[in-house]
Amino acid sequence: MTDAQDPKSPQQPSKPESDTGKSATSPTPLAPESAAASPAQGSSDYVEPATPATPHPTGKPVGGTAEGSADMPPNPDTLTRPKPPSDPSASADAHAQRTAPAAKAVAPVTAAEIASDSNPIGASMPKTGADVKAAGVGSAGGNIGESGATAGAGGPGSAGGAGTPGGGGGGGHEPPHEPAFGAGAPRPGSPASMGGQPSYLRAGDSPWSVLRRITSARLRAWYDRAGQRLTQRTLKIGISARIFHPEPGSKGLRSKTLQYLEESIAHWVMSRDVLVFMIPTVDTQGLLHPSHIRLHDYAKHLDGLVLQGGADVSPLTYSEVATRHEWQGDRMRDMYELELLHEFVEQGKPILGVCRGCQLINVAFGGTLHQDIATDLPEAIPHVTETYEHNRHTLTFPEGSSLGQMLGPVDVPIVNSIHHQSVKTLGRDLSVEAFCAEDGVVEAIRYRKAPFVMGLQWHPEFHRAGGPEFLDCTPVLDNFLRAARETRF
């Protein structure tokens, strides 16, 4: 019996011949509306034959599908795919599944079934978003059959999930160009995907290896800071003070004890970009302004010591008596500078003595002096004249002299001569570094048991650096400052 012979079946409108010729020959599935109208058919084994359908030339939505409204009547111009042959029991199961409530869970449909022609368009079948994406059709932003809050704008084959139970248009979850990650799957580069470690750590890093690298970095930073302090911190050089004693009956400055330094010696040392400090005398027993600062504190915090020239060394300091009253020297200054010298020697700091400083170094280690060269050495050339620093003579260096090695090969080393005292008996552990070429007077000495303790009888601060007239003594200053940097701690 056909639909036209069955009085209970709805009459289908006639189709044009052009559309009928294109219709499929396979039977169509039973529409949900028809099943609801004929409850007797749900328990019958009768399968209604398919009604020929025409192609859908206008792209109108099909009633009762995901593409149309649930209450829209069937469109006679819509193409209906043929239903594959199946047994009656399968039809009954399919009918029961279609009439089930919308909230009931349904079995997932594979992507192959969605993409194949075996799935009729007229049947409302639930689909998952993963299946739709795998088939290349369906929603680009939501699952078919989902609520309007989760269904997105439809792609080819869907209209955003409209027409399904609870369906409606809306924004999508994921853009089509972003990768989809499974439930519980970590994103690449996250700590979970790296075994619980940040992606910037090396593969196989352990807490001990990270701690070792951190410790190594801290040690390198400390080493760099220590090296910078050793090589770049400005040196601090102390210069002993000259002392002006009060004159009896005078007023003003002449009635006061003055401590000062000669400008040339300070500028000569500062020419190598170091800081210069004049070291004053100390008096812990002072009645007006007592202090706990000692010369030991200066030796501890300064990097080197320069003993400048000035008044004669008192013969009392080396256990002799002055042969003339004017050769009494400055006993107070002797005591101050001897203590200062020994403090720097004990600290291992370098010392450079100039003129009087050279003589004091010799006396400090037990040596003696000629109180007057002209008296004690009549054959010697004049070592002091009215021309002062313009008086000169040449030098000679003994074999193995470290001073000669510092200054390098010089054809005629000429220095100034402004002294009337000189080394007589050499102190212990001292060696002669230079003589006057004309009379053999000692002109330079060195203490052998210290890194750098040297005395020059002439005034190197009066020599122009690189000048053609006098010996360039800046190599001596450079060696002194180099020793100060190496022994600063």
Side-chain angles (χ1 to χ4, degrees), residues 260-320:
Y260 65 99
L261 58 83
E262 203 275 326
E263 183 183 58
S264 298
I265 190 69
H267 289 180
W268 181 60
V269 178
M270 288 191 297
S271 67
R272 288 300 187 256
D273 299 329
V274 302
L275 296 176
V276 168
F277 298 86
M278 188 189 75
I279 304 174
T281 60
V282 295
D283 187 3
T284 58
Q285 306 297 326
L287 298 178
L288 291 177
H289 308 289
S291 173
H292 296 291
I293 295 297
R294 300 170 299 163
L295 294 179
H296 170 80
D297 299 315
Y298 283 97
K300 179 180 179 180
H301 294 284
L302 296 177
D303 301 317
L305 172 66
V306 174
L307 300 171
Q308 65 172 325
D312 292 345
V313 176
S314 174
L316 296 176
T317 305
Y318 48 92
S319 303
E320 291 188 6

Side-chain angles (χ1 to χ4, degrees), residues 109-152:
V109 182
T110 63
E113 291 176 354
I114 295 174
S116 66
D117 291 337
S118 63
N119 180 29
I121 297 178
S124 175
M125 184 171 292
K127 303 175 181 62
T128 64
D131 294 334
V132 174
K133 292 177 185 177
V137 297
S139 172
N143 296 336
I144 296 177
E146 292 181 352
S147 64
T150 59

Side-chain angles (χ1 to χ4, degrees), residues 181-269:
F181 302 100
R187 292 182 175 272
S190 65
S193 67
M194 299 293 291
Q197 295 189 138
S199 57
Y200 56 81
L201 292 179
R202 299 175 183 173
D205 263 345
S206 67
W208 289 110
S209 62
V210 175
L211 179 61
R212 184 169 57 253
R213 289 203 301 270
I214 293 174
T215 304
S216 177
R218 295 293 184 272
L219 289 176
R220 285 196 302 270
W222 176 85
Y223 180 81
D224 292 340
R225 288 194 300 268
Q228 183 178 10
R229 184 179 180 188
L230 285 170
T231 59
Q232 297 183 11
R233 186 177 72 83
T234 304
L235 291 173
K236 296 178 290 186
I237 304 299
I239 301 180
S240 63
R242 294 190 180 196
I243 300 177
F244 176 83
H245 299 282
E247 296 180 357
S250 300
K251 296 181 180 180
L253 287 178
R254 292 184 177 273
S255 65
K256 304 295 182 181
T257 300
L258 306 180
Q259 299 183 8
Y260 65 99
L261 58 83
E262 203 275 326
E263 183 183 58
S264 298
I265 190 69
H267 289 180
W268 181 60
V269 178

Side-chain angles (χ1 to χ4, degrees), residues 15 53-57 60-63 74-80 121:
K15 312 290 189 302
T54 60
H56 181 255
K60 296 180 180 180
V62 179
N75 189 351
D77 296 334
T78 304
L79 173 64
T80 304
I121 297 178

